[in-house]
Amino acid sequence: MRYIIFFVICFINFAHGQSITEQIRAEGKSIDVGKSLSRWQPLWEAADNSAVKVTYDLKYGPDKKQGFDLYEPVSAPSHPSPILVFLHGGSFVAGDKAMYANVGYHFAKMGITSVIMTYRLAPEFKWPTGTIDLSLQLKWIRDHEDQFKFADNSKVFLFGHSAGAQHVASYIFEEKYQIENDGVKGAILASGSVYDTSILNNDADPQYYDYFGRDKNKYAERSILNDLEGRKVPVFVSYAQYDKDNFQYQALKMINALYERDKEKSTTIQLIDHNHLSEVFHFNTSEDGFSDQIIKFINSVLLN
């Protein structure tokens, strides 16, 4: 049995007389990328990243968005680490690997080789392009074992945030997109956006339609929740206290659907005093209980 964890993280860095935690509380469920970047970027820049080697702009496909950065510990861990593959959010239409360097640095400092990838975006590239790009990224990892100095490419964990969580969930549950010997052992789904596509029948985020389209007859077949009966990859579901209502709804739909399938709770965390962006922007800024829980999840999967 895995239990729901409520985790509180308090950040003491101050701006305009308020701690970051106080600012997050005051702003509630708003998503303001510019304000969030101005809040977290000084902390990212102050971080000591000397223990991490970064290889930039590797390619898993020909499109300009089909690229990734590789974050590796400078010193060899006691044994080959798993590989963490991170997919950013951006409502399916925005985002880039460079904005999430903090994720790569953070986990590489913890001894885990990390791949921070970008994928093709809507409206030019529609459903299921994000999932296909993740398949191509995993093929590159599988076929380039020699590129990983301290990591085991047969032990891969996927970590998606927002739209990225959607693509990760699509890959692990929809077997038609999976490649042979992908090495995937588990997945972290952080505040996914459209597991339940029925929200598209109402007035959802307009950018969701750029990816999923507006044909209501296709929404049911594009719902991940209708494809849970195949391969059973261990899943860790997270969401933030100040996530917008839809993200919390989607997380609970996923948690409930996995419980109905497995008859036990999946690993789950609600991050108290976090909003949609701080859920991942806080990495590499301070001591962090969320990443400790991610490492615990990874280790527990590998021990089973």
Side-chain angles (χ1 to χ4, degrees), residues 203-217:
D203 293 325
D205 184 328
Q207 295 169 321
Y208 295 170
Y209 299 101
D210 289 337
Y211 186 67
F212 286 95
R214 291 189 174 273
D215 186 345
K216 293 185 177 182
N217 295 320

Side-chain angles (χ1 to χ4, degrees), residues 108-212:
K109 287 180 185 179
M110 300 181 79
I112 294 182
T113 293
S114 300
V115 167
I116 311 299
M117 64 173 288
T118 303
Y119 49 87
R120 291 172 292 176
L121 300 170
E124 182 179 359
F125 296 99
K126 301 185 183 299
W127 180 93
T129 305
T131 310
I132 291 169
D133 280 357
L134 177 53
S135 301
L136 293 171
Q137 175 71 83
L138 289 169
K139 183 178 183 299
W140 191 98
I141 291 170
R142 182 195 66 190
D143 295 345
H144 291 80
E145 181 180 7
D146 61 326
Q147 296 293 313
F148 299 101
K149 188 174 182 182
F150 301 133
D152 183 346
N153 70 340
S154 70
K155 298 175 181 177
V156 177
F157 286 80
L158 307 178
F159 181 8
H161 176 246
S162 196
Q166 180 76 27
H167 300 320
V168 169
S170 177
Y171 181 84
I172 63 171
F173 294 128
E174 299 184 270
E175 293 181 307
K176 60 188 175 184
Y177 300 118
Q178 296 171 9
I179 65 168
E180 291 186 5
N181 303 316
D182 59 15
V184 173
K185 302 300 184 185
I188 300 99
L189 305 178
S191 297
S193 50
V194 198
Y195 307 139
D196 177 9
T197 54
S198 70
I199 64 163
L200 300 173
N201 291 312
N202 302 307
D203 293 325
D205 184 328
Q207 295 169 321
Y208 295 170
Y209 299 101
D210 289 337
Y211 186 67
F212 286 95

Side-chain angles (χ1 to χ4, degrees), residues 174 194-197 218-227:
E174 299 184 270
V194 198
Y195 307 139
D196 177 9
T197 54
K218 295 182 178 179
Y219 292 157
E221 69 184 64
R222 295 179 179 181
S223 174
I224 294 162
L225 300 180
N226 294 328
D227 280 296

Side-chain angles (χ1 to χ4, degrees), residues 53-295:
K53 175 190 174 183
V54 186
T55 306
Y56 295 104
D57 299 325
L58 295 167
K59 298 290 292 180
Y60 65 86
D63 189 86
K64 63 182 180 181
K65 281 291 189 179
Q66 292 176 311
F68 65 100
D69 299 331
L70 180 63
Y71 293 76
E72 300 173 287
V74 170
S75 300
S78 58
H79 55 275
S81 82
I83 296 171
L84 185 71
V85 179
F86 179 79
L87 284 77
H88 62 76
S91 293
F92 304 98
V93 301
D96 187 82
K97 58 187 173 61
M99 191 183 294
Y100 297 90
N102 67 304
V103 179
Y105 281 122
H106 185 85
F107 285 96
K109 287 180 185 179
M110 300 181 79
I112 294 182
T113 293
S114 300
V115 167
I116 311 299
M117 64 173 288
T118 303
Y119 49 87
R120 291 172 292 176
L121 300 170
E124 182 179 359
F125 296 99
K126 301 185 183 299
W127 180 93
T129 305
T131 310
I132 291 169
D133 280 357
L134 177 53
S135 301
L136 293 171
Q137 175 71 83
L138 289 169
K139 183 178 183 299
W140 191 98
I141 291 170
R142 182 195 66 190
D143 295 345
H144 291 80
E145 181 180 7
D146 61 326
Q147 296 293 313
F148 299 101
K149 188 174 182 182
F150 301 133
D152 183 346
N153 70 340
S154 70
K155 298 175 181 177
V156 177
F157 286 80
L158 307 178
F159 181 8
H161 176 246
S162 196
Q166 180 76 27
H167 300 320
V168 169
S170 177
Y171 181 84
I172 63 171
F173 294 128
E174 299 184 270
E175 293 181 307
K176 60 188 175 184
Y177 300 118
Q178 296 171 9
I179 65 168
E180 291 186 5
N181 303 316
D182 59 15
V184 173
K185 302 300 184 185
I188 300 99
L189 305 178
S191 297
S193 50
V194 198
Y195 307 139
D196 177 9
T197 54
S198 70
I199 64 163
L200 300 173
N201 291 312
N202 302 307
D203 293 325
D205 184 328
Q207 295 169 321
Y208 295 170
Y209 299 101
D210 289 337
Y211 186 67
F212 286 95
R214 291 189 174 273
D215 186 345
K216 293 185 177 182
N217 295 320
K218 295 182 178 179
Y219 292 157
E221 69 184 64
R222 295 179 179 181
S223 174
I224 294 162
L225 300 180
N226 294 328
D227 280 296
L228 301 184
E229 293 305 320
R231 179 181 180 187
K232 291 180 171 59
V233 174
V235 176
F236 181 175
V237 180
S238 74
Y239 62 104
Q241 180 183 10
Y242 296 113
D243 257 328
K244 287 189 174 183
D245 291 346
N246 176 60
F247 296 111
Q248 300 199 42
Y249 165 79
Q250 297 290 341
L252 293 175
K253 288 289 285 188
M254 178 60 74
I255 293 164
N256 290 335
L258 290 173
Y259 181 79
E260 288 299 314
R261 185 191 73 176
D262 300 332
K263 304 308 177 188
E264 69 174 6
K265 289 186 182 296
S266 57
T267 303
T268 304
I269 187 170
Q270 184 191 36
L271 294 169
I272 304 302
D273 285 332
H274 272 288
N275 61 28
H276 190 63
L277 295 175
S278 71
E279 185 175 15
V280 290
F281 279 1
H282 78 278
F283 289 129
N284 203 35
T285 63
S286 67
E287 294 295 323
D288 173 52
F290 183 24
S291 64
D292 289 343
Q293 293 300 322
I294 291 173
I295 299 299

